[in-house]
Each structure stands twice: as structure tokens, then as C-alpha cells.
Amino acid sequence: MIEIKQQKDFSLGSFDKIKELAEKDFAKILVISDSHGNKVNFFSILQNFGKICDALCFCGDGITDLCSAIETSYILHFLPPVIFFVKGNGDNSTATILARERHLIFVPTDKEAVVCGKKIFMTHGHKYNVYIGTSELKKISSEKKADAVFYGHTHIANAQTKSRTLLLNPGSCSLPRGNVPQTFAIVEIKKNEEKISYQYFRLNWDAAEEIIFIPYEPPKGEINLFW
């Protein structure tokens, strides 16, 4: 369970857990974006996958949903011990968490983090024109020497590899576009392996109208919403 404390680098969690994550040999990262107020979907993902992951990366447009998850006691126990997050174009730069006491948190536009010795760069994507492709993200990833870039905004699941850098958009867990389903991703990072692996899941509903999660293969290649 996470300690509700924001560090100077904007991460949520205890300093010791964030340091431990940076030095681990292996870690699983839950990557979610663009929940847009759909707490049912968002909370269900956290309940089913939060405890098996070492960190949550939330790529924006739903910071109030993230705060609600932390405020909700039965969901709080499912959250990973570290949370990284960034501001979407629909989010404010500050938010409030009301859990036992009031916590004011600052929401960065971009975020850098270290997991298993590898650098992750996070952003929502609107600053880098991801509606028309990832060329600007690829440029910034090279400048920052990032091993992975997580972003959102397009609402379309997509993963690409440029040189050694993984560019991953988990898609939207709420409002997908482009005839793709509601999705999220789990990323696996190993300290001594260059390749970063990932698995997407789509949300589906069984005969009892319960949410189930099915492995999903995202679209390949560049996404351009204006084609």
C-alpha cells in the first residue's frame, strides 16, 4: 500500500520505496491513461493489477480519478507503493487528496523516473503533437537518453521501439478512439536486460456484466488522428 506523501520530484510514495524501485533487479509497472472520470473502469484495473505491480504510471487526463482512488480506502490497499503521474490537457496543475488529512499535490507536465536503473520519461503528449505522430517524442527521448517513454492523449494503444527506446501509449481505459477497445498496459523492466517488455489488456464484460481483462495486441506503426 502506498504512503500518501509527495516527494520533491513529484512522485507519490515513501522516499525508501522510490529509491528501492530505482535499484530493483526486476519491476512491473502498471501504465494507465485517460480515464476521464470513469472510476468504475479505473478502480477495477487497480483492484485486479495494482498489488502485483511495483509502481503505477498515470499519463494524465484523470488526475481527479487518481485522487479518488487514493481517497477510497478499499482501493488504497490495492495501490502499488509508488505512483508517478503527469498532467493531461484536461487536468489542473494541483489537486487535493482527502484521506485522513488533506494533501495538496502538484501535478507536473513532464516526469522523469528511474526504475531498475533505467530512465523513464512520462508526459501526456499534447505538448509534443502526438495526434500527428511521435517524431517530437522520439526527439525528446533521444535528448533525455530515455529507455522508455510513456504517454497518452491519443486514446489509442500504441507501442513502438526507436533504437533502444520504447515509446508506449497505454490507450484510454475509458474513451478509446480509432475503433480500438478500452486498454491499459503492464510493463516489465529488468535491470540487466536492454529490452523492456510489455503486455496490453483490453476491458471486456462477461455474461454477468462483470469487467474482465483480455490480452490485447495494439496497432503497430505511427498513429495519426488526421489521416
Side-chain angles (χ1 to χ4, degrees):
M1 187 175 75
I2 189 169
E3 178 182 329
I4 308 172
K5 182 177 182 181
Q6 187 168 36
Q7 303 296 331
K8 290 180 180 179
D9 68 350
F10 304 108
S11 306
L12 276 178
S14 72
F15 177 82
D16 289 344
K17 287 295 183 182
I18 294 166
K19 184 174 184 290
E20 179 184 323
L21 181 65
E23 298 172 352
K24 286 174 75 79
D25 291 326
F26 172 77
K28 284 188 175 184
I29 311 299
L30 179 58
V31 188
I32 309 176
S33 191
D34 294 278
S35 55
H36 286 280
N38 192 330
K39 294 182 178 65
V40 172
N41 288 7
F42 185 47
F43 285 14
S44 184
I45 295 167
L46 295 174
Q47 280 182 274
N48 283 273
F49 295 91
K51 276 194 172 182
I52 67 169
C53 291
D54 301 283
L56 166 65
C57 288
F58 186 77
C59 299
D61 272 0
I63 290 299
T64 56
D65 301 328
L66 177 61
C67 291
S68 293
I70 297 168
E71 292 171 348
T72 305
S73 57
Y74 77 92
I75 297 295
L76 178 63
H77 291 281
F78 291 98
L79 293 177
V82 177
I83 298 177
F84 304 127
F85 54 92
V86 290
K87 177 182 178 293
N89 56 296
D91 294 322
N92 294 323
S93 56
T94 61
T96 301
I97 298 170
L98 298 172
R100 295 194 181 136
E101 58 186 79
R102 182 178 182 273
H103 302 266
L104 177 67
I105 63 169
F106 297 91
V107 188
T109 301
D110 295 336
K111 174 80 178 80
E112 295 180 38
V114 178
V115 176
C116 299
K118 291 182 166 53
K119 182 186 281 190
I120 294 172
F121 176 71
M122 287 179 60
T123 190
H124 184 60
H126 57 296
K127 270 179 50 180
Y128 301 100
N129 296 310
V130 296
Y131 273 5
I132 59 172
T134 56
S135 59
E136 291 187 37
L137 273 185
K138 289 171 181 173
K139 180 180 178 183
I140 194 73
S141 72
S142 295
E143 291 173 357
K144 293 184 174 293
K145 298 181 179 178
D147 297 287
V149 177
F150 300 154
Y151 69 103
H153 193 51
T154 64
H155 294 212
I156 298 175
N158 182 247
Q160 302 176 49
T161 302
K162 178 188 179 293
S163 183
R164 64 180 182 84
T165 303
L166 171 67
L167 278 76
L168 184 140
N169 186 328
S172 171
C173 68
S174 173
L175 298 168
R177 299 186 179 112
N179 296 315
V180 302
Q182 298 159 324
T183 57
F184 63 96
I186 292 180
V187 174
E188 294 188 350
I189 300 176
K190 295 181 180 179
K191 191 171 190 175
N192 297 319
E193 289 189 13
E194 183 174 299
K195 183 179 178 182
I196 297 174
S197 61
Y198 56 88
Q199 173 67 66
Y200 281 84
F201 293 88
R202 65 182 176 92
L203 281 67
N204 207 346
W205 283 259
D206 63 17
E209 294 298 316
E210 297 291 332
I211 296 177
I212 57 175
F213 305 96
I214 300 172
Y216 175 71
E217 185 69 27
K220 299 184 184 299
E222 284 284 3
I223 300 296
N224 188 320
L225 292 179
F226 298 105
W227 286 343

